[in-house]
Amino acid sequence: MKRSVCTVLAVAMLAAAVAVFAADEKKPTTDAAAQQAQMEAMMAAVMPGEHHEHMKKLVGEFDYTIKMFMPGGAQEFTGHRSAKMIMGDRYLDETYTGNFMGMPFEGHGTMAYDNVQKKYLSTWIDNMGTGIMMASGTCDGTGTMWTMSGDMADPQSGKMVPERSVTKLVDADHMTMEMYGPGPDGKEMKMMEISATRSK
């Protein structure tokens, strides 16, 4: 009887040892798999993809006309837009130059597609202000229309107000952009529209 108990205990201890050894063998494999998954997630986050290809359609030299809708009436001016992809085709970098109401105009925009957040991001600065306008949004299924929403500083009230823009690639040589914001009655109205044609 005593021998049987000892045998059972020995077998149980051996089984436990085998189980511990097996667990130790699996642990490095699990760690390696986790590291591999982390590496794959990191690569997916940093590598340009389909949406960055969409942004490439906006690259080039364009001549534009901007129409500003103001309480006193619309104002129009013309200029040039130059856009390129930067940092390994990860960002669209845009520069606008022209003259507005007799003053030189310069604006600079950056568009990105954040693989982690799964959305487009944009920033805008120009020499008609001192702030940075930021927005986020989406692109339609055709990869030719971007809808962005954000906030902008209203110089009259000193408060942040909502703004929305829609950029459309009409065809390979023509693009438009419309910007909307709150009107005098607080309802959304078109504040600006841009029509641009690729320079020949």
Side-chain angles (χ1 to χ4, degrees):
M1 180 72 176
K2 187 175 181 180
R3 182 177 296 177
S4 297
V5 172
C6 290
T7 302
V8 170
L9 288 173
V11 170
M13 290 175 66
L14 178 61
V18 169
V20 170
F21 178 78
D24 287 342
E25 284 292 306
K26 289 179 180 178
K27 190 173 181 181
T29 304
T30 302
D31 289 346
Q35 290 175 359
Q36 179 65 26
Q38 290 175 354
M39 183 61 69
E40 290 176 357
M42 181 63 72
M43 292 301 292
V46 303
M47 294 302 292
E50 174 189 4
H51 291 278
H52 301 88
E53 291 297 316
H54 293 335
M55 288 191 289
K56 286 183 182 180
K57 300 169 188 175
L58 301 174
V59 167
E61 305 295 322
F62 288 78
D63 296 311
Y64 70 78
T65 298
I66 292 182
K67 183 179 290 187
M68 306 282 290
F69 300 96
M70 302 177 176
Q75 295 282 343
E76 250 185 50
F77 69 99
T78 60
H80 187 76
R81 170 190 179 270
S82 180
K84 61 185 178 180
M85 297 297 290
I86 60 172
M87 298 188 182
D89 291 344
R90 287 170 173 81
Y91 305 93
L92 178 71
D93 184 80
E94 301 177 278
T95 299
Y96 284 75
T97 56
N99 283 279
F100 177 60
M101 299 180 71
M103 297 181 291
F105 170 76
E106 181 180 358
H108 189 91
T110 304
M111 179 186 281
Y113 180 79
D114 189 328
N115 290 335
V116 178
Q117 298 184 67
K118 307 296 184 189
K119 61 183 178 181
Y120 285 85
L121 305 172
S122 70
T123 63
W124 175 262
I125 58 174
D126 61 48
N127 64 339
M128 298 293 180
T130 54
I132 300 177
M133 190 164 64
M134 294 176 282
S136 63
T138 60
C139 184
D140 74 344
T142 67
T144 59
M145 185 172 76
W146 293 260
T147 302
M148 310 289 286
S149 298
D151 294 305
M152 62 181 180
D154 177 18
Q156 292 185 345
S157 67
K159 297 179 180 179
M160 299 301 289
V161 297
E163 64 84 18
R164 180 174 66 91
S165 67
V166 179
T167 300
K168 296 179 183 178
L169 188 67
V170 179
D171 56 41
D173 295 324
H174 299 86
M175 60 179 287
T176 63
M177 195 276 272
E178 296 178 343
M179 183 176 174
Y180 301 85
D185 58 358
K187 296 181 180 180
E188 184 182 79
M189 63 167 282
K190 185 189 291 188
M191 302 176 67
M192 178 181 72
E193 66 180 27
I194 301 175
S195 299
T197 300
R198 193 177 297 276
S199 306
K200 300 299 183 183

